[in-house]
């Protein structure tokens, strides 16, 4: 296949809707004309002549590769398709969600810079913000992400970036992304958003002003609990500039095999996530006012304290709900042990419904005295909606609550 034919096969059409882009965007067909995207499980690439090798190291073309840590055709398909559905110019894929969070922040910050971050964060994100970045001379200020006045007070003329989870894991706090972006951009700071809980399907990050949008593609993109992955999406200038430089030289590249699995998973992403979000809403309705529960939380359900903000930003709010059992840890454990459809694990966004007790697993390193301000109560259980029949999911939860 000639170069011209090849470029024809990866042309994006901006008019395509997300579901069409999820199937077709970024395709790079080999000379065999395969229908299903090919897995190029190769570390390196061959040059016809020494001159060709020299030329590629001087000026690497869009469809030319050098080494899989820098890029690979399968990985590039995944990056292009993710960038396309996110409405961004480009994207860089990473070995995991944490490689993406660390890579994005390390690539745009340096010693002496100031970062403002919401404090309701996934444990490893909190570690990077409060332990890793300060070690390299980045000053960080933590704020209550729900409170715009705190963002306003914390963002200073020398603030270089703000960071948040658009919907926090596991407490499901919602950030007013447009308002925070306006405050950040007013001082020239970059907006870096971990959008994992929100999902690419319900994302509003780009149009709200986010400069770097991060996903743990381990979650909804894989969606079947198989492999780790991450993505950083944004303008070409940032992605092919500092982000690519940092990640390709520090070794955070995704395996082409994992990129291929996650690329193929994009075919069904929209269908899966919409089904899971619909189940989340139905489960909230079924649990509303249940006597064993102090709260039922899903940002797009009316009992959430930030419901108005959540639905003003997106049509849905991810695929995870939380319940807070009145009886604390004992009740939570009785409930968890009585579940039959739900799997006990610490991941989420799987085809299998998953229940997690954050305080004793994913968030056990958060000091006990810091938990209340983060909404981490002993009775809190995170419930990730799977793809089982919605009636079975609801019946399982109601049944297990009987055991409490
Ligand atoms: C899971 C998760 C991560 C980390 O992703 P990995 O792929 O496990 O490295 C980061 N941020 C959030 C919000 C997450 O839920």
């Amino acid at each position: 296949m000639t170069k011209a034919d090849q470029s024809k096969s990866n042309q994006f059409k901006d008019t395509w809707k997300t579901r069409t882009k999820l199937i077709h965007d970024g395709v790079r067909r080999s000379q065999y004309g395969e229908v299903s995207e090919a897995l190029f499980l190769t570390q390196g690439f061959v040059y016809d002549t020494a001159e060709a090798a020299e030329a590629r190291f001087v000026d690497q073309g869009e469809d030319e590769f050098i080494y899989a840590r820098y890029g690979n055709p399968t990985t590039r398909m995944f990056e292009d398709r993710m960038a396309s559905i996110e409405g961004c110019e480009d994207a860089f894929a990473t070995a995991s969600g944490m490689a993406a969070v660390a890579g994005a922040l390390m690539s745009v910050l340096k010693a002496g810079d100031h970062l403002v971050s919401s404090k309701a964060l996934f444990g490893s994100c909190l570690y990077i913000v409060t332990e890793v970045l300060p070690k390299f001379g980045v000053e960080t200020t933590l704020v209550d992400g729900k409170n715009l006045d705190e963002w306003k007070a914390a963002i200073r003329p020398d603030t270089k970036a703000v960071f948040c989870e658009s919907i926090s894991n596991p407490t499901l706090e919602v950030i007013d992304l447009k308002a925070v972006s306006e405050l950040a951009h007013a001082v020239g700071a970059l907006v870096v958003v971990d959008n994992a809980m929100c999902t690419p399907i319900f994302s509003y990050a780009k149009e709200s002003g986010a400069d770097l949008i991060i996903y743990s593609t381990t979650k909804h993109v894989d969606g079947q609990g198989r492999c780790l992955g991450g993505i950083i999406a944004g303008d070409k200038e940032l992605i092919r500039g500092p982000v690519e430089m940092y990640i390709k030289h520090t070794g955070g590249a995704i395996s082409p095999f994992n990129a291929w699995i996650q690329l193929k998973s994009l075919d069904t992403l929209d269908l899966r996530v919409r089904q899971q979000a619909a189940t989340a809403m139905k489960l909230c309705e079924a649990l509303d006012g249940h006597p064993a529960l102090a709260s039922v939380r899903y940002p797009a359900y009316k009992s959430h304290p930030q419901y108005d903000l959540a639905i003003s930003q997106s049509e849905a709010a991810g695929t995870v709900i939380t319940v807070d059992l009145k009886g604390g840890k004992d009740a939570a454990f009785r409930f968890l042990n009585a579940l039959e459809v739900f799997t006990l694990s610490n991941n989420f966004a799987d085809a299998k419904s998953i229940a997690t007790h954050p305080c004793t697993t994913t968030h056990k390193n958060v000091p006990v005295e810091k938990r209340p301000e983060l909404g981490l109560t002993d009775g809190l259980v995170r419930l990730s909606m799977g793809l089982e029949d919605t009636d079975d999911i609801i019946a399982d939860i109601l049944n297990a609550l009987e055991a409490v």
Side-chain angles (χ1 to χ4, degrees):
M1 187 181 267
T2 66
K3 260 245 160 91
D5 291 336
Q6 208 170 31
S7 66
K8 212 187 297 170
S9 69
N10 63 23
Q11 242 171 29
F12 294 178
K13 288 209 175 58
D14 283 341
T15 52
W16 281 349
K17 298 208 167 33
T18 298
R19 265 165 72 171
T20 310
K21 292 181 175 180
L22 280 166
I23 308 289
H24 292 292
D25 260 358
V27 164
R28 281 165 164 71
R29 238 167 230 140
S30 79
Q31 71 271 35
Y32 299 114
E34 66 280 357
V35 172
S36 175
E37 293 81 348
L39 166 56
F40 292 93
L41 200 55
T42 179
Q43 298 163 340
F45 300 85
V46 173
Y47 315 102
D48 288 339
T49 59
E51 288 77 11
E54 181 186 34
R56 194 165 301 181
F57 274 77
V58 172
D59 182 20
Q60 197 190 332
E62 171 78 5
D63 263 306
E64 294 177 341
F65 298 93
I66 289 174
Y67 189 54
R69 176 152 51 74
Y70 293 20
N72 167 289
T74 304
T75 302
R76 198 75 186 109
M77 287 192 259
F78 179 50
E79 292 171 337
D80 281 353
R81 197 170 291 177
M82 286 298 299
S84 164
I85 61 167
E86 201 57 38
C88 292
E89 288 175 5
D90 216 328
F92 202 95
T94 56
S96 68
M98 286 324 302
V101 172
L105 290 172
M106 291 294 276
S107 64
V108 300
L109 292 168
K110 61 179 188 315
D113 285 350
H114 179 236
L115 170 78
V116 180
S117 171
S118 62
K119 61 181 146 196
L121 296 177
F122 176 65
S124 300
C125 293
L126 196 62
Y127 179 78
I128 289 178
V129 167
T130 60
E131 304 288 334
V132 178
L133 292 175
K135 216 167 72 174
F136 292 93
V138 175
E139 187 194 343
T140 57
T141 305
L142 291 181
V143 296
D144 173 354
K146 303 186 296 301
N147 188 335
L148 272 182
D149 291 334
E150 288 201 19
W151 285 103
K152 231 175 260 173
I155 293 172
R156 321 186 300 225
D158 65 334
T159 302
K160 288 294 184 295
V162 303
F163 177 66
C164 64
E165 290 174 17
S166 50
I167 300 174
S168 70
N169 175 11
T171 47
L172 305 181
E173 284 185 15
V174 181
I175 302 288
D176 186 338
L177 214 47
K178 212 170 185 173
V180 171
S181 297
E182 275 167 17
L183 292 170
H185 290 158
V187 299
L190 291 172
V191 177
V192 183
V193 177
D194 182 336
N195 220 23
M197 296 289 278
C198 180
T199 84
I201 299 305
F202 302 130
S203 175
Y204 43 88
K206 177 70 182 155
E207 57 267 35
S208 302
D211 298 293
L212 290 175
I213 303 162
I214 299 166
Y215 290 97
S216 163
T217 55
T218 311
K219 308 290 166 52
H220 299 89
V221 172
D222 180 292
Q224 290 146 85
R226 297 163 299 186
C227 57
L228 303 179
I231 202 99
I232 308 169
D235 286 353
K236 208 171 216 59
E237 199 185 340
L238 277 175
I239 297 299
R240 295 294 149 192
V243 169
E244 178 183 307
M245 285 304 266
Y246 180 84
I247 294 170
K248 78 181 184 186
H249 292 305
T250 56
I254 194 170
S255 148
F257 184 75
N258 290 358
W260 177 77
I261 290 180
Q262 300 193 347
L263 172 71
K264 296 302 295 174
S265 302
L266 290 176
D267 285 355
T268 56
L269 180 70
D270 185 275
L271 296 171
R272 289 185 281 110
V273 165
R274 285 184 192 282
Q275 167 69 23
Q276 289 163 324
T279 298
M281 284 295 280
K282 286 197 181 131
L283 182 57
C284 287
E285 281 160 19
L287 295 179
D288 203 339
H290 194 288
L293 300 176
S295 73
V296 178
R297 291 271 158 89
Y298 178 60
Y301 187 67
K302 61 185 189 319
S303 61
H304 193 284
Q306 295 173 285
Y307 168 73
D308 290 335
L309 172 64
I311 60 159
S312 77
Q313 295 191 114
S314 184
E315 60 189 288
T319 64
V320 169
I321 80 164
T322 63
V323 292
D324 190 3
L325 283 100
K326 283 180 184 161
K329 181 182 164 186
D330 284 350
F333 274 31
R334 276 200 299 277
F335 166 69
L336 290 166
N337 290 334
L339 290 166
E340 290 173 349
V341 174
F342 276 75
T343 304
L344 302 192
S345 186
N346 41 265
N347 194 20
F348 69 90
D350 197 304
K352 297 180 174 70
S353 288
I354 291 176
T356 313
H357 187 246
C359 278
T360 52
T361 60
T362 50
H363 289 68
K364 85 172 179 14
N365 290 333
V366 178
V368 175
E369 68 279 6
K370 288 217 170 121
R371 288 178 190 173
E373 59 172 310
L374 298 177
L376 289 167
T377 55
D378 286 334
L380 190 75
V381 174
R382 188 182 72 192
L383 298 171
S384 167
M385 301 302 108
L387 291 172
E388 301 93 341
D389 192 284
T390 304
D391 291 343
D392 289 336
I393 289 174
I394 293 172
D396 192 40
I397 297 292
L398 290 173
N399 220 15
L401 283 173
E402 290 296 310
V404 180

